Amino acid sequence: MSPNELNQMLSETPPVWKGSSKLFRSLKERGVISYTEYLFLLCILTKPHAGFRIAFNMFDTDGNEMVDKKEFLVLQEIFRKKNEKRETKGDEEKRAMLRLQLYGYHSPTNSVLKTDAEELVSRSYWDTLRRNTSQALFSDLAERADDITNLVTDTTLLVHFFGKKGKAELNFEDFYRFMDNLQTEVLEIEFLSYSNGMNTISEEDFAHILLRYTNVENTSVFLENVRYSIPEEKGITFDEFRSFFQFLNNLEDFAIALNMYNFASRSIGQDEFKRAVYVATGLRLSPHLVNTVFKIFDVDKDDQLSYKEFIGIMKDRLHRGFRGYKTVQKYPTFKSCLKKELHSR
């Protein structure tokens, strides 16, 4: 891409106040983002709305209720440095794992594969920022803010937030709307890929979407649960679909409420599930949606939902494939990988 082509592309980027839940779809290939921005956008997808203010305040380092381009880039630089450090430390492990996954053999190296608790890729953009945004680091990078700004090539996201000249500032309302629109847009894309122009998706398709990005080996068990437990298809509307994923972004709070039932040795039926969702998130899920969730995850068919049956699987779903490499206990063959992929489709 030539500088002229890039400049032409950026000149067509709409300002943040013209943003919508169709922003990325309307831009299509006429947009460019950096890798760090990709990580930022990816993590937005799993943030609860209550966390949007925290995220904004982390960027607003001077506390003036506005975020400028320098503040945005300084925090991106902190995250880039941390991610760079992790990647350098784990290069040998990554190469060994990739050889294993692509070619089926494990060549000896001087390194040792990490355990689950030592994932090579940060699980959360915000976690990384929170652990590394000390006052000293802020002041150190703030002194070089102009250098950082001059070194960075403008991207679609920077122009969208801060204008073509980079002088505009981002307020919380625009920041909140951008994050909400992004979540909605990705959910609409997922929903429309199964709805085929209809107003609903089938309960089985809903199960397919839920089980995507999880470590479930055999999804057919869950899909069969839906087929046999809900023989008359009613369908899941987009409002139901969106409300469920808003709830899922509050999964940690819900898990606390669910554990209270476990401590009291009480089983979790559909009524208790709906109450726990409302108490933890303020969201009211429709009876049909809750019933569908139970039919998907209630493997032992006792009409009760356990922590293991639901929370464990959904925690994997939240990371949307952003978990990094893990220790492999058994080396998979090409045939087993192929079977797993075919099961997931």
Side-chain angles (χ1 to χ4, degrees):
M1 186 184 296
S2 69
N4 286 339
E5 289 172 326
L6 177 61
N7 289 333
Q8 177 62 31
M9 182 184 293
L10 296 179
S11 70
E12 298 170 3
T13 303
V16 68
W17 53 272
K18 283 190 176 181
S20 72
S21 62
K22 291 181 173 54
L23 174 67
F24 289 88
R25 283 173 286 181
S26 61
L27 287 172
K28 296 183 180 179
E29 74 280 3
R30 304 294 295 169
V32 59
I33 59 173
S34 69
Y35 176 63
T36 313
E37 289 171 348
Y38 164 72
L39 298 177
F40 164 66
L41 296 172
L42 186 65
C43 288
I44 286 177
L45 299 180
T46 58
K47 288 296 116 186
H49 284 192
F52 290 0
R53 169 57 76 174
I54 297 171
F56 181 82
N57 288 343
M58 292 182 72
F59 282 105
D60 180 22
T61 55
D62 60 10
N64 70 344
E65 294 295 318
M66 302 290 286
V67 172
D68 59 32
K69 187 176 180 180
K70 287 182 181 179
E71 289 175 318
F72 188 79
L73 291 175
V74 163
L75 274 184
Q76 283 208 340
E77 179 72 2
I78 291 171
F79 183 66
R80 186 189 66 78
K81 283 181 174 293
K82 180 63 177 178
N83 203 51
E84 213 172 60
K85 182 179 178 183
R86 285 174 176 267
E87 288 176 351
T88 301
K89 189 176 180 181
D91 276 347
E92 284 303 313
E93 290 91 337
K94 284 186 178 182
R95 280 195 286 270
M97 184 66 74
L98 284 171
R99 281 193 291 271
L100 176 64
Q101 291 178 331
L102 293 174
Y103 307 115
Y105 70 86
H106 180 71
S107 58
T109 66
N110 295 326
S111 59
V112 178
L113 289 177
K114 299 255 180 209
T115 61
D116 288 352
E118 297 172 289
E119 289 171 344
L120 297 173
V121 180
S122 173
R123 283 171 39 178
S124 167
Y125 187 95
W126 310 120
D127 287 347
T128 299
L129 294 178
R130 188 175 65 246
R131 283 196 291 267
N132 297 281
T133 49
S134 65
Q135 191 61 44
L137 187 53
F138 264 130
S139 59
D140 176 54
L141 282 172
E143 291 176 1
R144 300 191 296 109
D146 289 329
D147 294 334
I148 294 171
T149 304
N150 292 333
L151 288 172
V152 171
T153 301
D154 273 342
T155 63
T156 297
L157 194 61
L158 289 175
V159 172
H160 183 61
F161 281 164
F162 307 109
K164 296 177 177 63
K165 296 182 179 180
K167 302 296 184 182
E169 293 183 318
L170 187 66
N171 61 37
F172 176 67
E173 288 71 23
D174 287 337
F175 183 75
Y176 183 102
R177 187 167 57 252
F178 170 81
M179 295 179 77
D180 184 46
N181 281 337
L182 178 64
Q183 288 186 352
T184 301
E185 181 160 12
V186 171
L187 290 176
E188 283 179 350
I189 291 170
E190 290 185 318
F191 185 87
L192 292 172
S193 67
Y194 282 91
S195 68
N196 297 318
M198 304 294 287
N199 293 326
T200 62
I201 60 174
S202 71
E203 287 80 1
E204 186 175 338
D205 285 340
F206 179 63
H208 270 292
I209 296 172
L210 283 189
L211 295 170
R212 191 183 295 173
Y213 306 118
T214 69
N215 289 330
V216 174
E217 291 290 336
N218 188 4
T219 59
S220 61
V221 174
F222 297 91
L223 299 178
E224 286 172 7
N225 281 349
V226 180
R227 292 190 201 109
Y228 293 120
S229 302
I230 312 177
E232 294 185 9
E233 182 182 308
K234 180 179 178 182
I236 303 293
T237 67
F238 180 72
D239 287 340
E240 289 176 318
F241 184 80
R242 186 169 186 260
S243 67
F244 182 82
F245 282 96
Q246 286 178 335
F247 146 68
L248 206 58
N249 287 347
N250 291 272
L251 192 63
E252 293 295 336
D253 292 335
F254 172 75
I256 295 172
L258 198 63
N259 269 328
M260 292 183 68
Y261 284 104
N262 289 335
F263 292 148
S265 298
R266 290 184 58 184
S267 58
I268 309 298
Q270 295 191 26
D271 289 339
E272 289 80 12
F273 183 89
K274 284 189 290 186
R275 174 168 169 72
V277 169
Y278 179 71
V279 169
T281 69
L283 293 167
R284 295 188 184 277
L285 303 183
S286 72
H288 175 62
L289 181 62
V290 172
N291 181 58
T292 302
V293 170
F294 266 66
K295 299 309 181 189
I296 295 171
F297 292 102
D298 183 18
V299 178
D300 55 12
K301 296 180 173 56
D302 63 352
D303 206 28
Q304 306 293 321
L305 210 59
S306 71
Y307 186 97
K308 181 180 180 181
E309 287 175 326
F310 180 73
I311 299 291
I313 295 175
M314 286 298 94
K315 279 188 175 180
D316 283 335
R317 177 63 172 80
L318 264 178
H319 293 291
R320 305 182 71 93
F322 189 53
R323 291 183 66 89
Y325 295 99
K326 298 182 179 181
T327 302
V328 176
Q329 303 297 335
K330 181 180 179 182
Y331 296 157
T333 64
F334 175 78
K335 184 178 179 181
S336 65
C337 289
L338 181 61
K339 285 174 67 178
K340 181 180 177 180
E341 181 65 17
L342 290 173
H343 270 304
S344 66
R345 290 178 180 270

